[in-house]
Amino acid sequence: MFRTTVSRTLPAARTLHPSLYVVASRGPSYVLAQRAFTTGTPLFNSLTTKPTNEKASVGVEGLHKRDKTAEDSVTKENGTSDVPSVIKGDWVLFHPVYKPDELRSVEVLHREAKTFSDKIAYSFVRLLRLGFDVVSGYKHKPLPPNYKEMSIAELRKAGYIMDEHQWLRRFIFLESIAGVPGMVAATLRHLRSLRLMRRDSGWIHTLLEEAENERMHLMTFMTMRRPGYLFRAMLIGAQGIFYNIFFGCYMVSPRTCHRFVGHLEEEAVITYTKCIEEIESGHLPEWADYPAPEIAKNYWRLDDSATLLDVIYAVRSDESTHRFVNHTLSNLKKSDINPFAFREPDMTVKGKRIAFTRDEAERYVQESHKLIEDGKFHPRQS
């Protein structure tokens, strides 16, 4: 899905992500894009600013149906104020809005570990998965041959399926940890950019978007259940340990850490796929027609009639995106341009492929530059 900008016109120097610039007068920018991709050097090192009196623009995805309009302004004694009484709309970073066919394009995929660092990353994911299963009480044995003759209560008692409380405990624990890697990586890339006094090649924004996206998953599920003190204490301990370990590992080998996250997201896709199957097969009747939380409708731009199943489809698509992005970033050098800084493929690609190779990522950057030069695509301003 293309990322659109808040502006419909481009200045003389076409502004991309802060790390990437294309000069309109240069013509096709394949050579420039290739040099920028491999060195991380901006194509045009300049900053543009808006006049201080210029009005704020509509968010990257346009006016939301719940955004405040002129009719909703607060009326004061001396007239009408432009300040809304309630803040709604694009109060988050870039976030995806999926079409129905995209939501069902996600496949369970696994990237085989090829190098020594890949094997280390996957081994840690398997170890972490085991810990998640124990703490969250996750269990999902293969159904017995006679499962159709068993009631839902019997299947749950035998450990073949889980109830809604067990699923929520799993989701909340998973998402509270999943929001850590993106923030850690963004922090370290940010500090590196400050130390070296140069741009970051577009990685920071994508990593921050990933961290916030995972946090929004948590906020969505928190509307359905408030964990007790014991569960919260376990989260604090797990988050503290995981944050510091990941911080240290990312300083040593960012590539291994992104591979780790890619494998972790593979497991997340499996988890949400199983939950979808449970709901659609009738094994989770409590969620069959459960309405989507308002925060989810606002975040993913869901219809008013959306259900929790629609939300879980959207969450699974997000996890598939993180799987694709992190495996791709692991295939790059830390100085390479992030190919997702200004646009991303839609879910028919991210849901069916595990990653871009480094050569594919470079070509994707070149294609993006060509689209911009041809006026077929306007990247978001920053």
Side-chain angles (χ1 to χ4, degrees), residues 47-60:
L47 293 175
T48 58
T49 59
K50 293 183 178 181
T52 56
N53 62 347
E54 184 174 337
K55 291 184 178 181
S57 302
V58 177
V60 294

Side-chain angles (χ1 to χ4, degrees), residues 65 76 81 108 132 165 173 318 351 361:
K65 60 186 178 183
K76 294 185 177 180
S81 169
V108 174
F132 278 172
H165 298 296
F173 192 86
D318 288 346

Side-chain angles (χ1 to χ4, degrees), residues 307-345:
T307 66
L308 184 61
L309 179 61
D310 299 316
V311 174
I312 295 177
Y313 264 111
V315 172
R316 185 183 68 164
S317 295
D318 288 346
E319 306 295 5
S320 179
T321 295
H322 303 327
R323 177 184 68 186
F324 184 87
V325 168
N326 278 279
H327 276 312
T328 297
L329 294 180
S330 184
N331 292 338
L332 307 182
K333 295 181 178 180
K334 63 181 179 182
S335 59
D336 286 345
I337 284 175
N338 168 25
F340 312 114
F342 29 63
R343 68 177 182 125
E344 289 181 3

Side-chain angles (χ1 to χ4, degrees), residues 55-129:
K55 291 184 178 181
S57 302
V58 177
V60 294
E61 294 169 355
L63 189 67
H64 185 249
K65 60 186 178 183
R66 295 180 182 82
D67 289 344
K68 281 288 180 179
T69 60
E71 292 77 11
D72 299 317
S73 299
V74 179
T75 302
K76 294 185 177 180
E77 293 180 0
N78 58 347
T80 301
S81 169
D82 291 332
V83 180
S85 59
V86 179
I87 299 175
K88 295 183 179 181
D90 269 332
W91 42 272
V92 289
L93 298 173
F94 169 82
H95 51 284
V97 177
Y98 302 109
K99 297 177 181 178
D101 59 329
E102 290 184 284
L103 293 173
R104 285 158 178 77
S105 298
V106 177
E107 297 178 359
V108 174
L109 302 174
H110 171 63
R111 183 188 183 278
E112 293 297 331
K114 300 176 182 179
T115 65
F116 179 69
S117 63
D118 289 350
K119 293 177 181 178
I120 291 177
Y122 186 60
S123 297
F124 273 107
V125 167
R126 298 303 300 171
L127 180 63
L128 190 64
R129 169 66 189 263

Side-chain angles (χ1 to χ4, degrees), residues 196-210:
L196 301 181
M197 300 182 186
R198 68 187 186 201
R199 297 186 185 276
D200 176 66
S201 303
W203 290 54
I204 294 175
H205 280 192
T206 295
L207 295 169
L208 286 175
E209 288 161 3
E210 175 184 310

Side-chain angles (χ1 to χ4, degrees), residues 134-152:
V134 172
V135 174
S136 64
Y138 182 82
K139 50 186 177 180
H140 214 288
K141 299 188 297 185
L143 293 174
N146 63 332
Y147 75 94
K148 292 184 179 181
E149 301 173 5
M150 301 174 66
S151 65
I152 293 177

Side-chain angles (χ1 to χ4, degrees), residues 155-354:
L155 289 171
R156 287 176 176 175
K157 186 177 180 180
Y160 293 111
I161 60 176
M162 300 194 301
D163 61 28
E164 74 278 17
H165 298 296
Q166 292 171 312
W167 276 112
L168 279 175
R169 185 166 61 238
R170 172 71 171 184
F171 293 162
I172 291 173
F173 192 86
L174 176 66
E175 300 299 348
S176 67
I177 301 300
V180 171
M183 184 59 69
V184 171
T187 298
L188 288 173
R189 299 272 319 188
H190 174 76
L191 295 175
R192 179 175 179 269
S193 177
L194 296 178
R195 288 196 309 273
L196 301 181
M197 300 182 186
R198 68 187 186 201
R199 297 186 185 276
D200 176 66
S201 303
W203 290 54
I204 294 175
H205 280 192
T206 295
L207 295 169
L208 286 175
E209 288 161 3
E210 175 184 310
E212 183 178 72
N213 181 254
E214 299 286 13
R215 182 174 62 84
M216 291 306 297
H217 294 174
L218 177 63
M219 296 299 102
T220 296
F221 294 124
M222 285 292 291
T223 64
M224 302 171 63
R225 183 183 180 186
R226 305 295 294 182
Y229 291 115
L230 178 60
F231 191 81
R232 289 172 182 269
M234 288 192 295
L235 287 183
I236 292 173
Q239 187 183 87
I241 294 172
F242 181 62
Y243 184 98
N244 286 284
I245 291 177
F246 194 85
F247 189 97
C249 291
Y250 200 89
M251 288 194 294
V252 175
S253 179
R255 177 175 292 183
T256 302
C257 287
H258 284 295
R259 187 71 71 205
F260 168 86
V261 178
H263 286 304
L264 189 65
E265 300 298 352
E266 291 175 11
E267 298 295 333
V269 171
I270 293 174
T271 294
Y272 287 110
T273 297
K274 288 183 177 179
C275 184
I276 289 171
E277 292 172 350
E278 292 295 282
I279 297 174
E280 293 183 336
S281 65
H283 288 156
L284 200 52
E286 296 87 352
W287 287 355
D289 298 309
Y290 195 97
E294 284 300 314
I295 190 173
K297 293 179 183 178
N298 196 37
Y299 184 69
W300 285 285
R301 306 307 198 229
L302 301 176
D303 294 334
D304 290 334
S305 60
T307 66
L308 184 61
L309 179 61
D310 299 316
V311 174
I312 295 177
Y313 264 111
V315 172
R316 185 183 68 164
S317 295
D318 288 346
E319 306 295 5
S320 179
T321 295
H322 303 327
R323 177 184 68 186
F324 184 87
V325 168
N326 278 279
H327 276 312
T328 297
L329 294 180
S330 184
N331 292 338
L332 307 182
K333 295 181 178 180
K334 63 181 179 182
S335 59
D336 286 345
I337 284 175
N338 168 25
F340 312 114
F342 29 63
R343 68 177 182 125
E344 289 181 3
D346 61 26
M347 288 309 303
T348 59
V349 175
K350 295 183 294 186
K352 295 181 179 295
R353 291 196 55 186
I354 200 70

